[in-house]
Amino acid sequence: MLGVLIFLYSFSSKRNEDRKLVKTEVQFAGENTPFVTDEMVNNLLIQNFNGVASIRKDKLDLNRLERELDSHEMIADAQVYATVDGTLKALVTQKTPIARVSNERSSYYIDYEGNKMPLSDNFSARVPLVVGEINDENRKELTVVFQKIHDDDFLKKNITGAKILESGSLLMTNRNYNYEILFGKPINVDKKFNNYKAFFQHAMKDTLIDEYKMINLKFTQQVVCTK
């Protein structure tokens, strides 16, 4: 009995390995924002073997395929596997943009990890537009600021842009009113945003909110408003 079981297992395993792939299938995890399309991922999979239908399952190097997909500028993570019926499947997690940087030299996204991400021809993310330079010196601190905006429903809807001043301070714009927000340097981020949300909640009851020109958040103990 044991010998028969071993034979049947070996036989079925060998037949499974000898099967040829018949198609590819791409699934996207998380938010369904089409920075990367099914066709783009399929092309990345297929070009590694010059076609899929002629490849046997035992010739697959799944780790190499995953590395190829992970190296794409818009893909955060990819898991690739082959099913019993000969389908090569890829589960793809796309990068999450949290800000769009625009300066004299280029325009690109900053993703949730603080890395550069190219603009997409397929989709334009609704994220704050940042004017200025993000470099190795300020990247970490600025990433935290835009992560907080991305993760907060109110801030995500309210903050539309930011200008990086020569002093390193941030000057932000909002969606519905004409005032600017002087955030100051990217420190005490939680405290400053909490102060701004408290101000906004109170100011909505104030008929003078349309007259404000500047909301200064530099001082963590108070919010200074200028008309």
Side-chain angles (χ1 to χ4, degrees):
M1 287 287 291
L2 181 60
V4 171
L5 289 174
I6 293 174
F7 171 77
L8 291 175
Y9 177 78
S10 300
F11 178 74
S12 62
S13 297
K14 178 63 176 174
R15 287 196 62 184
N16 183 52
E17 289 178 352
D18 288 342
R19 286 179 182 269
K20 291 184 178 181
L21 298 176
V22 294
K23 63 179 180 178
T24 60
E25 183 178 309
V26 180
Q27 295 178 329
F28 292 97
E31 296 182 9
N32 189 27
T33 48
F35 297 108
V36 184
T37 64
D38 290 20
E39 182 180 3
M40 292 169 64
V41 178
N42 271 319
N43 287 339
L44 288 172
L45 293 173
I46 292 171
Q47 71 186 16
N48 281 277
F49 292 112
N50 296 318
V52 169
S54 62
I55 300 300
R56 283 177 19 189
K57 291 175 67 176
D58 64 335
K59 299 299 182 182
L60 275 176
D61 185 346
L62 297 178
N63 289 330
R64 182 167 71 87
L65 284 177
E66 289 180 349
R67 289 194 298 270
E68 290 290 335
L69 293 180
D70 287 341
S71 66
H72 193 279
E73 293 177 305
M74 294 185 183
I75 294 177
D77 181 67
Q79 298 178 35
V80 183
Y81 58 97
T83 63
V84 175
D85 65 357
T87 300
L88 181 63
K89 289 193 173 185
L91 179 62
V92 175
T93 302
Q94 300 179 84
K95 291 183 178 180
T96 302
I98 57 175
R100 177 172 176 169
V101 180
S102 178
N103 54 47
E104 294 179 354
R105 293 189 298 277
S106 61
S107 183
Y108 57 90
Y109 291 121
I110 290 293
D111 72 10
Y112 200 84
E113 304 302 322
N115 301 314
K116 280 187 177 183
M117 175 181 171
L119 303 183
S120 171
D121 294 331
N122 304 308
F123 185 79
S124 181
R126 192 175 183 181
V127 293
L129 178 63
V130 181
V131 177
E133 185 72 29
I134 295 182
N135 50 45
D136 292 338
E137 295 181 1
N138 61 16
R139 183 180 306 276
K140 184 177 180 180
E141 291 77 12
L142 291 176
T143 297
V144 172
V145 172
F146 295 112
Q147 283 175 343
K148 296 293 183 182
I149 294 174
H150 178 272
D151 293 341
D152 187 284
D153 286 340
F154 167 76
L155 296 175
K156 194 173 185 177
K157 294 176 182 177
N158 187 269
I159 305 298
T160 58
K163 182 179 181 180
I164 304 173
L165 305 178
E166 291 185 5
S167 63
S169 292
L170 288 173
L171 187 64
M172 299 181 178
T173 55
N174 75 99
R175 189 172 305 281
N176 297 314
Y177 299 96
N178 293 324
Y179 61 75
E180 295 180 305
I181 305 164
L182 183 57
F183 190 83
K185 293 187 177 181
I187 56 176
N188 301 314
V189 176
D190 285 329
K191 180 63 175 176
K192 290 179 179 179
F193 277 138
N194 286 337
N195 286 348
Y196 176 66
K197 288 192 284 187
F199 152 78
F200 191 87
Q201 193 172 36
H202 177 77
M204 286 297 293
K205 305 173 185 177
D206 187 347
T207 58
L208 298 179
I209 188 172
D210 289 319
E211 297 183 17
Y212 291 135
K213 302 299 182 184
M214 180 73 69
I215 309 301
N216 190 338
L217 303 177
K218 290 174 63 176
F219 312 102
T220 57
Q221 300 303 317
Q222 61 181 337
V223 176
V224 178
C225 304
T226 305
K227 293 182 180 180

